[in-house]
Amino acid sequence: MRHPAPHIITEGGSQYRLGTLEGRCIQYDFEKILAYLDVKGRLLFGKKFRIYKEDHEILYKLCNYQVKNWGTCKKLGIDPKKGILLSGPVGCGKTSLMRLIRYITPHFTPYDLIPARNISFAFNHIGYSIIEQYGDHRFYCFDDLGVEPMGRHYGKDCNVMGEILLSRHELYLNHRVKTHATTNLNAQELEERYGNRVRSRMRELFNLIGFDKGSRDKRK
């Protein structure tokens, strides 16, 4: 779908201008993006949703990545060709932010957000075809990576998400297909969960963006 003015988004009869169109390039305004995300967040998650000032630094990185601001991403140490691994403690807002930032770029291919536990449960029912299913060229964000149960099909155990990450790594190398994820685990815990082989490929697959360990639980 072609968007003649992708920097102007309409929600509920109101227009939100996220920046200015200069030729074929959009000069985004971070403050205007924040204002739009605050509105969109309430529409998606309810009236209690808000953008917290303490999260502006994380959002600045995510938004510059999402709009492919190459210059700023380079300064931030972010590679726009890779996916995002957003880490942080339970309830800090990882899932909400990954759901939200898709909406600031309606002219880009969106990613589907899939709970990792749902994939593991699906494996228990239908087996290895679920791994093949996520080896396609679509963009995904695997939510709550690392806390999903081990898969078990006809008596055989399988580290389902570990296998999927390996196949997504091949897709990234060969076709630049992006994969995103959220996780509550740190690097050591991810390696314990998936092994060194998968962890090393995750370094190639993802930009790591992390909330502070002390980030509050916004669900309370």
Side-chain angles (χ1 to χ4, degrees):
M1 183 178 176
R2 190 170 180 270
H3 294 267
H7 63 302
I8 302 174
I9 300 178
T10 301
E11 292 286 354
S14 299
Q15 284 193 336
Y16 299 88
R17 189 179 294 266
L18 305 188
T20 56
L21 192 60
E22 299 179 8
R24 298 183 66 182
C25 296
I26 301 171
Q27 298 298 322
Y28 285 95
D29 184 318
F30 182 57
E31 292 302 320
K32 291 179 179 178
I33 290 177
L34 286 180
Y36 167 69
L37 290 177
D38 197 49
V39 170
K40 186 65 177 178
R42 288 193 181 100
L43 291 173
L44 287 174
F45 310 121
K47 294 180 179 179
K48 291 184 178 180
F49 176 85
R50 56 176 289 202
I51 298 290
Y52 292 87
K53 190 173 182 179
E54 65 207 59
D55 296 339
H56 283 194
E57 184 179 346
I58 290 282
L59 271 167
Y60 184 71
K61 293 177 181 179
L62 291 175
C63 289
N64 276 284
Y65 169 85
Q66 184 65 21
V67 303
K68 296 182 180 177
N69 186 333
W70 289 83
T72 301
C73 281
K74 186 175 182 181
K75 292 176 184 176
L76 295 170
I78 295 170
D79 183 351
K81 295 177 184 177
K82 293 183 178 183
I84 292 290
L85 177 61
L86 186 58
S87 68
V90 173
C92 67
K94 301 181 297 295
T95 303
S96 298
L97 295 190
M98 290 304 290
R99 284 185 64 187
L100 261 181
I101 62 167
R102 299 177 293 182
Y103 292 98
I104 65 176
T105 51
H107 51 308
F108 291 165
T109 303
Y111 50 84
D112 295 326
L113 197 141
I114 313 289
R117 60 182 288 133
N118 289 9
I119 299 173
S120 186
F121 290 146
F123 174 87
N124 296 345
H125 290 287
I126 65 176
Y128 287 87
S129 63
I130 196 70
I131 296 173
E132 296 174 11
Q133 179 181 322
Y134 288 98
D136 62 7
H137 285 226
R138 295 172 67 181
F139 292 178
Y140 295 104
C141 178
F142 299 123
D143 193 33
D144 275 340
L145 185 69
V147 295
E148 74 281 353
M150 183 71 73
R152 189 172 180 83
H153 186 67
Y154 283 110
K156 291 186 177 181
D157 290 336
C158 178
N159 193 326
V160 181
M161 291 308 304
E163 293 298 323
I164 287 175
L165 289 172
L166 289 175
S167 66
R168 298 297 296 181
H169 177 259
E170 288 296 317
L171 282 169
Y172 168 71
L173 291 182
N174 297 325
H175 305 286
R176 286 295 183 249
V177 176
K178 286 185 181 179
T179 303
H180 309 294
T182 71
T183 186
N184 302 332
L185 306 185
N186 60 35
Q188 183 178 344
E189 290 168 331
L190 285 169
E191 186 165 324
E192 290 172 359
R193 181 70 173 83
Y194 297 114
N196 180 262
R197 180 169 170 240
V198 173
R199 175 62 187 144
S200 66
R201 283 156 178 77
M202 289 176 71
R203 293 188 186 98
E204 292 185 80
L205 195 59
F206 297 121
N207 294 284
L208 178 59
I209 296 178
F211 282 84
D212 291 335
K213 292 180 180 178
S215 295
R216 59 174 152 158
D217 187 343
K218 300 179 180 72
R219 298 172 186 170
K220 293 181 179 178

mmCIF file of all heavy atoms in Angstrom, residues 157-175:
data_model
loop_
_atom_site.group_PDB
_atom_site.id
_atom_site.type_symbol
_atom_site.label_atom_id
_atom_site.label_comp_id
_atom_site.label_asym_id
_atom_site.label_seq_id
_atom_site.Cartn_x
_atom_site.Cartn_y
_atom_site.Cartn_z
ATOM 1 N N ASP A 157 11.984 -33.891 23.087
ATOM 2 C CA ASP A 157 12.123 -32.500 23.512
ATOM 3 C C ASP A 157 12.800 -31.673 22.422
ATOM 4 O O ASP A 157 13.650 -32.181 21.677
ATOM 5 C CB ASP A 157 12.957 -32.412 24.791
ATOM 6 C CG ASP A 157 12.216 -32.959 25.997
ATOM 7 O OD1 ASP A 157 10.967 -32.981 25.970
ATOM 8 O OD2 ASP A 157 12.886 -33.371 26.965
ATOM 9 N N CYS A 158 12.425 -30.416 22.353
ATOM 10 C CA CYS A 158 13.038 -29.522 21.364
ATOM 11 C C CYS A 158 13.075 -28.106 21.922
ATOM 12 O O CYS A 158 12.080 -27.608 22.456
ATOM 13 C CB CYS A 158 12.237 -29.540 20.058
ATOM 14 S SG CYS A 158 12.864 -28.425 18.777
ATOM 15 N N ASN A 159 14.232 -27.468 21.798
ATOM 16 C CA ASN A 159 14.353 -26.058 22.149
ATOM 17 C C ASN A 159 13.824 -25.267 20.950
ATOM 18 O O ASN A 159 14.577 -24.851 20.076
ATOM 19 C CB ASN A 159 15.811 -25.707 22.449
ATOM 20 C CG ASN A 159 15.956 -24.357 23.112
ATOM 21 O OD1 ASN A 159 15.191 -23.434 22.835
ATOM 22 N ND2 ASN A 159 16.936 -24.240 23.981
ATOM 23 N N VAL A 160 12.525 -25.085 20.911
ATOM 24 C CA VAL A 160 11.836 -24.592 19.715
ATOM 25 C C VAL A 160 12.343 -23.229 19.280
ATOM 26 O O VAL A 160 12.712 -23.023 18.110
ATOM 27 C CB VAL A 160 10.310 -24.529 19.962
ATOM 28 C CG1 VAL A 160 9.591 -24.034 18.708
ATOM 29 C CG2 VAL A 160 9.787 -25.893 20.367
ATOM 30 N N MET A 161 12.376 -22.267 20.200
ATOM 31 C CA MET A 161 12.802 -20.924 19.823
ATOM 32 C C MET A 161 14.277 -20.879 19.444
ATOM 33 O O MET A 161 14.685 -20.092 18.580
ATOM 34 C CB MET A 161 12.499 -19.929 20.945
ATOM 35 C CG MET A 161 11.016 -19.655 21.176
ATOM 36 S SD MET A 161 10.113 -19.188 19.666
ATOM 37 C CE MET A 161 11.056 -17.769 19.102
ATOM 38 N N GLY A 162 15.082 -21.738 20.056
ATOM 39 C CA GLY A 162 16.485 -21.817 19.659
ATOM 40 C C GLY A 162 16.621 -22.236 18.210
ATOM 41 O O GLY A 162 17.406 -21.652 17.446
ATOM 42 N N GLU A 163 15.839 -23.240 17.791
ATOM 43 C CA GLU A 163 15.869 -23.694 16.404
ATOM 44 C C GLU A 163 15.356 -22.610 15.452
ATOM 45 O O GLU A 163 15.900 -22.407 14.361
ATOM 46 C CB GLU A 163 15.029 -24.966 16.243
ATOM 47 C CG GLU A 163 15.583 -26.185 16.956
ATOM 48 C CD GLU A 163 16.948 -26.588 16.419
ATOM 49 O OE1 GLU A 163 17.172 -26.480 15.197
ATOM 50 O OE2 GLU A 163 17.800 -27.000 17.232
ATOM 51 N N ILE A 164 14.312 -21.899 15.879
ATOM 52 C CA ILE A 164 13.761 -20.835 15.039
ATOM 53 C C ILE A 164 14.766 -19.695 14.887
ATOM 54 O O ILE A 164 14.937 -19.142 13.794
ATOM 55 C CB ILE A 164 12.425 -20.334 15.618
ATOM 56 C CG1 ILE A 164 11.335 -21.393 15.389
ATOM 57 C CG2 ILE A 164 12.011 -18.998 14.989
ATOM 58 C CD1 ILE A 164 10.005 -21.063 16.025
ATOM 59 N N LEU A 165 15.467 -19.355 15.957
ATOM 60 C CA LEU A 165 16.475 -18.299 15.878
ATOM 61 C C LEU A 165 17.597 -18.673 14.924
ATOM 62 O O LEU A 165 18.119 -17.822 14.197
ATOM 63 C CB LEU A 165 17.026 -17.983 17.266
ATOM 64 C CG LEU A 165 16.074 -17.257 18.215
ATOM 65 C CD1 LEU A 165 16.668 -17.187 19.619
ATOM 66 C CD2 LEU A 165 15.751 -15.856 17.702
ATOM 67 N N LEU A 166 17.978 -19.945 14.907
ATOM 68 C CA LEU A 166 19.005 -20.384 13.959
ATOM 69 C C LEU A 166 18.534 -20.211 12.522
ATOM 70 O O LEU A 166 19.296 -19.743 11.659
ATOM 71 C CB LEU A 166 19.372 -21.849 14.220
ATOM 72 C CG LEU A 166 20.160 -22.142 15.502
ATOM 73 C CD1 LEU A 166 20.331 -23.647 15.681
ATOM 74 C CD2 LEU A 166 21.527 -21.463 15.475
ATOM 75 N N SER A 167 17.283 -20.562 12.250
ATOM 76 C CA SER A 167 16.767 -20.413 10.886
ATOM 77 C C SER A 167 16.586 -18.939 10.529
ATOM 78 O O SER A 167 16.817 -18.535 9.388
ATOM 79 C CB SER A 167 15.454 -21.178 10.710
ATOM 80 O OG SER A 167 14.416 -20.622 11.499
ATOM 81 N N ARG A 168 16.194 -18.112 11.510
ATOM 82 C CA ARG A 168 16.049 -16.675 11.253
ATOM 83 C C ARG A 168 17.413 -16.032 10.993
ATOM 84 O O ARG A 168 17.526 -15.083 10.210
ATOM 85 C CB ARG A 168 15.369 -15.996 12.440
ATOM 86 C CG ARG A 168 13.965 -16.463 12.764
ATOM 87 C CD ARG A 168 12.963 -16.209 11.672
ATOM 88 N NE ARG A 168 12.766 -14.779 11.406
ATOM 89 C CZ ARG A 168 11.916 -14.318 10.506
ATOM 90 N NH1 ARG A 168 11.162 -15.139 9.797
ATOM 91 N NH2 ARG A 168 11.786 -13.017 10.306
ATOM 92 N N HIS A 169 18.444 -16.559 11.630
ATOM 93 C CA HIS A 169 19.798 -16.062 11.385
ATOM 94 C C HIS A 169 20.213 -16.321 9.944
ATOM 95 O O HIS A 169 20.802 -15.465 9.277
ATOM 96 C CB HIS A 169 20.783 -16.726 12.357
ATOM 97 C CG HIS A 169 22.208 -16.335 12.149
ATOM 98 N ND1 HIS A 169 23.103 -17.145 11.477
ATOM 99 C CD2 HIS A 169 22.891 -15.218 12.496
ATOM 100 C CE1 HIS A 169 24.280 -16.548 11.447
ATOM 101 N NE2 HIS A 169 24.182 -15.381 12.049
ATOM 102 N N GLU A 170 19.894 -17.509 9.433
ATOM 103 C CA GLU A 170 20.192 -17.825 8.034
ATOM 104 C C GLU A 170 19.432 -16.893 7.096
ATOM 105 O O GLU A 170 19.972 -16.429 6.089
ATOM 106 C CB GLU A 170 19.819 -19.286 7.738
ATOM 107 C CG GLU A 170 20.744 -20.313 8.362
ATOM 108 C CD GLU A 170 22.161 -20.231 7.807
ATOM 109 O OE1 GLU A 170 22.299 -20.076 6.573
ATOM 110 O OE2 GLU A 170 23.107 -20.295 8.601
ATOM 111 N N LEU A 171 18.183 -16.623 7.413
ATOM 112 C CA LEU A 171 17.381 -15.706 6.597
ATOM 113 C C LEU A 171 17.984 -14.305 6.598
ATOM 114 O O LEU A 171 17.980 -13.611 5.580
ATOM 115 C CB LEU A 171 15.948 -15.642 7.128
ATOM 116 C CG LEU A 171 15.033 -16.807 6.769
ATOM 117 C CD1 LEU A 171 13.745 -16.730 7.589
ATOM 118 C CD2 LEU A 171 14.701 -16.794 5.278
ATOM 119 N N TYR A 172 18.494 -13.888 7.750
ATOM 120 C CA TYR A 172 19.113 -12.565 7.845
ATOM 121 C C TYR A 172 20.377 -12.491 6.989
ATOM 122 O O TYR A 172 20.581 -11.532 6.231
ATOM 123 C CB TYR A 172 19.442 -12.241 9.302
ATOM 124 C CG TYR A 172 20.336 -11.035 9.452
ATOM 125 C CD1 TYR A 172 19.853 -9.753 9.196
ATOM 126 C CD2 TYR A 172 21.671 -11.170 9.827
ATOM 127 C CE1 TYR A 172 20.678 -8.643 9.308
ATOM 128 C CE2 TYR A 172 22.500 -10.070 9.947
ATOM 129 C CZ TYR A 172 22.000 -8.809 9.682
ATOM 130 O OH TYR A 172 22.832 -7.716 9.787
ATOM 131 N N LEU A 173 21.209 -13.516 7.082
ATOM 132 C CA LEU A 173 22.461 -13.510 6.319
ATOM 133 C C LEU A 173 22.216 -13.557 4.813
ATOM 134 O O LEU A 173 22.885 -12.857 4.042
ATOM 135 C CB LEU A 173 23.333 -14.696 6.730
ATOM 136 C CG LEU A 173 23.946 -14.676 8.128
ATOM 137 C CD1 LEU A 173 24.811 -15.917 8.332
ATOM 138 C CD2 LEU A 173 24.771 -13.411 8.358
ATOM 139 N N ASN A 174 21.253 -14.361 4.402
ATOM 140 C CA ASN A 174 21.040 -14.594 2.970
ATOM 141 C C ASN A 174 20.065 -13.610 2.318
ATOM 142 O O ASN A 174 20.186 -13.332 1.123
ATOM 143 C CB ASN A 174 20.542 -16.025 2.737
ATOM 144 C CG ASN A 174 21.562 -17.058 3.154
ATOM 145 O OD1 ASN A 174 22.767 -16.850 3.012
ATOM 146 N ND2 ASN A 174 21.097 -18.176 3.700
ATOM 147 N N HIS A 175 19.110 -13.113 3.111
ATOM 148 C CA HIS A 175 18.056 -12.287 2.508
ATOM 149 C C HIS A 175 17.763 -11.014 3.285
ATOM 150 O O HIS A 175 16.839 -10.289 2.925
ATOM 151 C CB HIS A 175 16.758 -13.104 2.378
ATOM 152 C CG HIS A 175 16.931 -14.380 1.620
ATOM 153 N ND1 HIS A 175 17.089 -14.428 0.251
ATOM 154 C CD2 HIS A 175 16.980 -15.680 2.048
ATOM 155 C CE1 HIS A 175 17.217 -15.684 -0.133
ATOM 156 N NE2 HIS A 175 17.157 -16.460 0.933
#
